[in-house]
């Protein structure tokens, strides 16, 4: 199954600290693009956000083949958290990583 995850910590609008999108290919049980974001006004948890997104679609995070990370412009702290999260995934898995800007 083709699974791609996109994460953002740039917080361009200032309403939520993190957002993520999960794209599942045509061979998935429920293909499409699924999105999630941290609750407005709360401190975000990018790991939990991505885990919940995968769980909702019945996807094991190890099935993610590619991760796209937003590298700005935006909140320095949010960007660092997102980049560190993706570097961690890359270190312990075989995911391809692409940096994109907002």
């Amino acid at each position: 199954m083709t699974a791609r995850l996109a994460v953002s910590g740039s917080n361009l609008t200032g309403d939520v600290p993190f957002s993520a999108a999960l794209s599942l290919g045509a061979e998935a049980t429920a293909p499409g693009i699924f999105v999630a974001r941290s609750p407005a006004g709360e401190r975000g948890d990018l790991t939990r956000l991505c885990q919940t997104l995968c769980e909702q679609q019945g996807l094991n995070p190890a099935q993610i083949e590619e991760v796209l990370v937003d590298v700005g412009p935006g909140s320095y702290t949010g960007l660092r958290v997102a980049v560190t999260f993706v570097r961690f995934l890359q270190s312990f898995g075989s995911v391809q990583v692409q940096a994109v800007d907002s």
Side-chain angles (χ1 to χ4, degrees), residues 2 4-5 13 21 25 34 42 48 50-51 54 56 61 69 71 74 82 88 91 100:
T2 304
R4 298 172 71 191
L5 177 69
T13 60
F34 307 91
E42 292 184 18
R48 174 64 62 195
C50 293
Q51 181 180 14
C54 288
Q56 289 172 344
V69 61
V71 292
F88 179 83
S91 294
V100 297

Side-chain angles (χ1 to χ4, degrees), residues 10-31:
S10 65
N11 193 17
L12 290 175
T13 60
D15 58 344
V16 298
F18 300 109
S19 58
L22 181 64
S23 172
L24 301 179
E27 66 281 2
T29 304

Side-chain angles (χ1 to χ4, degrees), residues 22-71:
L22 181 64
S23 172
L24 301 179
E27 66 281 2
T29 304
I33 298 174
F34 307 91
V35 297
R37 59 188 219 157
S38 300
E42 292 184 18
R43 182 180 145 186
D45 183 338
L46 183 58
T47 303
R48 174 64 62 195
L49 183 70
C50 293
Q51 181 180 14
T52 300
L53 190 57
C54 288
E55 287 172 356
Q56 289 172 344
Q57 301 311 315
L59 182 74
N60 181 331
Q63 293 175 281
I64 295 172
E65 298 171 356
E66 184 177 25
V67 179
L68 291 86
V69 61
D70 180 3
V71 292

